[in-house]
Amino acid sequence: MSDSPLLEGLGVTAAEEAAYRTLLREGPSTLADLAARHGASVAALRRLLPRLEDLGLVTRLAGRPLRLLATPPHVAVEALVASRQEEIARSRAAIGPLLAEAAPHPEELVEVVSGRTAVSRRYLQLMNGAREELLVLVQPPFATDATVSSDEQERTMRRGIAVRGIYGPEALDEPHALDHVRRAVASGEQARLGAVPIKLAVADRRTAMLPLTSQHASSVDSSLIVHPSALLDALVSLFEALWRSAVPLPGQDAPDDTVLALLAAGLTDDAIARRLSISTRTVQRRVRDLCDRLGARTRFQAGALYTHHQDR
């Protein structure tokens, strides 16, 4: 059995947890018996007792001498979790009043984050801090490992956060990029393919993150964090305009739709083949089959028909 702390995240100290776990193993015990088995003095345990009772970890049995009983873990831990969740909810509710007290200062509306590690950390923090919605414009290069970013985004969606992402064609050139996108779509992301002029992430329409420079090679080494302002409103409007013109990306179980989406985005057969990890000949065969099924005379018409169908 592991002796590593299990309850420290619930406000239980190592000493308190050790005494509780000893009592769990030994059953109802006097302070003297518990001290002998726990390797602590009776006086030390007596000092811990009020706190253990306040935490709901132990109860006193009737009679003399004093005997202690460990509260069953499913009762004790659930009660501690519920109490901690109430504290978190109260703390979160303080955000609004505290923001109302904060006077806006122009120099605080935009901040600069420098260094690839700091940029990556701040992006993950932005995702984890979202409460309702996350909007992202995706294009390389990336400061955060794609797998880590994908996993964090899935956790974000599991919290009930609505995620909309627009992927530039270059983003799908990254290794396994299309697999990551398909997995995100399967988890609930609304993903589209379209023109992405700049990398961008917006959480709850209250905080935006974008590169400080437009230079491709250095765009992950520094970022701007934009707080509520006219600039933030403009960035949200930019995203919405790009969203309306982007093409929906299908999930894992719709390979033909993926080909059509890439066609609609204007990609060549060679580019589509690279992104789907298949041969150009296979792409050409699929395009011909899709044109026949859709009644399209050209590949561009097939892409246009797909876009029209998705918009209906």
Side-chain angles (χ1 to χ4, degrees):
M1 181 184 63
S2 172
D3 289 328
S4 59
L6 300 175
L7 303 177
E8 60 183 348
L10 297 175
V12 180
T13 67
E16 292 160 355
E17 181 177 333
Y20 171 64
R21 292 171 73 173
T22 300
L23 194 58
L24 272 177
R25 293 192 294 267
E26 301 298 335
S29 305
T30 64
L31 279 175
D33 290 339
L34 184 59
R37 293 161 184 158
H38 181 50
S41 68
V42 171
L45 288 175
R46 196 181 298 280
R47 287 193 295 271
L48 283 179
L49 183 54
R51 174 66 177 164
L52 291 171
E53 290 179 304
D54 288 342
L55 291 168
L57 296 176
V58 303
T59 55
R60 302 181 185 222
L61 296 176
R64 294 288 180 181
L66 171 65
R67 296 170 70 232
L68 302 175
L69 175 67
T71 305
H74 69 279
V75 175
V77 176
E78 286 293 347
L80 287 172
V81 169
S83 176
R84 183 54 57 94
Q85 287 174 333
E86 289 178 4
E87 292 175 8
I88 292 172
R90 285 195 297 270
S91 298
R92 184 171 291 152
I95 293 175
L98 290 174
L99 284 174
E101 293 180 15
H105 300 284
E107 65 273 16
E108 296 176 356
L109 297 180
V110 177
E111 58 181 292
V112 177
V113 178
S114 300
R116 184 176 296 237
T117 300
V119 168
S120 174
R121 186 185 305 116
R122 192 58 182 270
Y123 175 65
L124 295 178
Q125 185 182 50
L126 186 77
M127 279 202 294
N128 293 332
R131 292 290 169 261
E132 297 179 0
E133 178 186 55
L134 183 67
L135 311 175
V136 287
L137 297 179
V138 186
Q139 70 174 13
F142 303 109
T144 304
D145 178 82
T147 300
V148 173
S149 180
S150 179
D151 290 344
E152 286 294 334
Q153 185 166 311
E154 284 193 33
R155 279 192 280 271
T156 297
M157 288 186 288
R158 284 199 294 270
R159 292 191 286 114
I161 310 305
V163 178
R164 286 191 287 156
I166 304 175
Y167 294 80
E170 300 85 358
L172 300 185
D173 276 337
E174 299 294 305
H176 309 294
L178 194 55
D179 291 336
H180 288 309
V181 176
R182 285 169 168 170
R183 192 173 76 180
V185 171
S187 298
E189 178 185 338
Q190 297 182 62
R192 294 191 174 187
L193 179 66
V196 175
I198 192 169
K199 294 159 63 73
L200 176 68
V202 184
D204 300 328
R205 307 191 178 219
R206 292 195 58 83
T207 309
M209 184 173 183
L210 67 158
L212 178 62
T213 70
S214 59
Q215 296 177 6
H216 188 78
S218 60
S219 64
V220 296
D221 294 330
S222 54
S223 287
L224 288 176
I225 308 298
V226 182
H227 299 288
S229 59
L231 175 57
L232 179 62
D233 295 341
L235 292 171
V236 172
S237 296
L238 171 65
F239 178 90
E240 295 295 355
L242 295 172
W243 180 261
R244 288 190 293 272
S245 61
V247 178
L249 271 170
Q252 185 78 32
D253 56 348
D256 287 347
D257 281 0
T258 302
V259 173
L260 285 169
L262 296 172
L263 277 178
L267 273 69
T268 65
D269 291 342
D270 289 339
I272 294 173
R274 287 197 305 274
R275 285 159 174 81
L276 298 181
S277 299
I278 57 179
S279 70
T280 301
R281 187 180 298 275
T282 299
V283 172
Q284 291 169 342
R285 186 178 65 251
R286 286 190 184 179
V287 169
R288 285 195 300 270
D289 291 342
L290 289 167
C291 285
D292 290 341
R293 274 190 281 161
L294 292 169
R297 291 189 299 274
T298 67
R299 50 184 281 122
F300 301 106
Q301 190 178 48
L305 287 171
Y306 171 78
T307 303
H308 176 71
H309 173 74
Q310 294 296 323
D311 288 339
R312 290 176 60 182

